């Protein structure tokens, strides 16, 4: 009887630990989402103070990644989880790496907002803001799919990266034309180029997180597979 009670207690503690790291990764996601929104607001309004706040806030994102990663390592060593519990920990461990990279992208976008811009560069910033809002919506929906471990939603969101890539290609063409017309603009335009690239990377990271959700739910690693193969794994 004592053994059963002890096992139940250990199981209860383990479940609480899993729930805790699950909540912490979602909190980290919420923080990164706010960082992205604020970085885009700073770029749209050329708000240097808000941009500096985003840059300064990146250490919180980094700190959360380290703390959650350490907890994942501790749980694996102490609990030796099996099957779906191990998949959950691996999913969280991989997700926080991508969230931290999105945090880095936010810093890159914010840095572009600190630079002085000319009137003629404003259309470029409008294009990036539009793409950025698309990336923000994708990130929000991806975090929602992660919270609910919704593989079908993750599959649907996986396609958003290709749409963001097309928007990015359009901005690159715009920037190249701009630089060819006025070579003196090259240094300033390169900052905008890096910001656009950072937004595009947010889409890549969201796609990765969607793949981790599918991995957790279906137990199948879908990285480097075609969309059609992934669809078969999710829908079957």
């Amino acid at each position: 009887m004592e053994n059963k009670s002890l096992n139940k207690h250990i199981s209860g503690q383990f479940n609480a630990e899993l729930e805790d790291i699950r909540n912490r990764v979602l909190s980290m996601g919420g923080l990164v989402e706010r960082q992205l929104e604020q970085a885009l607001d700073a770029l749209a309004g050329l708000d240097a103070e808000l941009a500096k706040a985003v840059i300064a806030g990146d250490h919180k994102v980094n700190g959360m990644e380290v703390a959650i990663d350490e907890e994942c390592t501790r749980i694996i060593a102490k609990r030796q989880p099996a099957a779906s519990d191990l998949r959950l920990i691996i999913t969280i461990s991989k997700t926080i790496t991508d969230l931290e990279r999105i945090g880095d992208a936010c810093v890159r976008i914010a840095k572009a907002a600190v630079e002085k811009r000319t009137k003629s560069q404003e259309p470029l910033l409008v294009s990036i803001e539009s793409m950025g809002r698309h990336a923000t919506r994708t990130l929000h929906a991806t975090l929602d799919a992660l919270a609910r471990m919704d593989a079908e939603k993750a599959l649907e969101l996986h396609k958003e990266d290709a749409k963001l890539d097309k928007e990015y290609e359009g901005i690159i063409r715009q920037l190249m034309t701009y630089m060819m017309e006025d070579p003196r603009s090259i240094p300033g335009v390169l900052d905008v180029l890096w910001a656009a690239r950072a937004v595009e990377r947010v889409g890549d990271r969201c796609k990765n997180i969607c793949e981790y959700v599918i991995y957790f739910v279906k137990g199948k690693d879908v990285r480097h597979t075609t969309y059609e193969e992934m669809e078969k794994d999710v829908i079957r």
Side-chain angles (χ1 to χ4, degrees):
M1 196 66 183
E2 279 180 19
N3 262 349
K4 277 190 181 175
S5 177
L6 181 62
N7 288 340
K8 191 175 177 184
H9 176 65
I10 290 168
S11 172
Q13 277 187 330
F14 183 30
N15 288 337
E17 287 169 2
L18 291 176
E19 187 62 22
D20 177 58
I21 59 165
R22 190 176 163 280
N23 290 335
R24 284 164 72 181
V25 75
L26 293 174
S27 294
M28 183 181 176
L31 173 59
V32 168
E33 191 180 348
R34 285 192 299 279
Q35 285 278 95
L36 181 57
E37 286 169 355
Q38 289 176 349
L40 291 166
D41 286 344
L43 188 62
L46 295 179
D47 186 335
E49 289 309 307
L50 182 56
K52 286 172 186 172
V54 171
I55 294 164
D58 188 52
H59 76 95
K60 291 182 190 169
V61 176
N62 295 340
M64 289 180 93
E65 184 201 14
V66 170
I68 297 168
D69 199 37
E70 284 175 351
E71 184 62 11
C72 287
T73 303
R74 189 194 69 78
I75 290 173
I76 289 171
K78 185 180 176 185
R79 303 293 187 189
Q80 298 180 348
S84 66
D85 289 337
L86 182 59
R87 286 208 307 275
L88 175 63
I89 295 166
I90 291 169
T91 296
I92 287 171
S93 183
K94 287 178 177 293
T95 295
I96 58 174
T97 300
D98 280 287
L99 289 175
E100 190 275 331
R101 296 286 188 273
I102 295 174
D104 290 344
C106 297
V107 169
R108 170 58 69 184
I109 296 162
K111 281 181 176 174
V114 175
E115 301 299 321
K116 295 281 182 253
R117 301 283 163 214
T118 62
K119 271 279 184 204
S120 57
Q121 287 178 320
E122 284 178 11
L124 303 175
L125 298 182
V126 169
S127 296
I128 290 179
E129 192 195 0
S130 172
M131 180 186 171
R133 299 305 172 190
H134 182 182
T136 305
R137 290 192 300 274
T138 303
L139 175 59
H140 181 81
T142 298
L143 292 170
D144 187 54
L146 176 70
R148 293 184 289 111
M149 287 299 177
D150 186 337
E152 290 189 17
K153 186 65 179 174
L155 177 70
E156 182 188 321
L157 287 165
H158 198 274
K159 291 188 283 190
E160 292 302 311
D161 181 52
K163 296 177 190 174
L164 282 163
D165 286 347
K166 279 191 178 156
E167 288 179 57
Y168 174 62
E169 286 162 16
I171 291 171
I172 292 299
R173 283 194 294 272
Q174 214 180 343
L175 291 171
M176 296 299 280
T177 303
Y178 192 82
M179 287 190 285
M180 284 190 287
E181 286 175 357
D182 181 10
R184 291 168 303 171
S185 70
I186 290 172
V189 171
L190 285 175
D191 281 334
V192 179
L193 176 69
W194 283 116
R197 175 64 174 156
V199 174
E200 188 272 335
R201 294 298 287 158
V202 172
D204 292 341
R205 301 299 174 186
C206 288
K207 183 174 83 167
N208 290 348
I209 294 169
C210 288
E211 289 173 358
Y212 307 149
V213 170
I214 294 168
Y215 163 72
F216 169 73
V217 176
K218 298 296 179 178
K220 180 81 184 283
D221 188 344
V222 293
R223 292 175 299 171
H224 316 301
T225 61
T226 65
Y227 184 80
E228 289 70 25
E229 289 170 322
M230 205 180 300
E231 196 172 29
K232 282 178 194 166
D233 287 324
V234 172
I235 304 303
R236 72 179 179 194

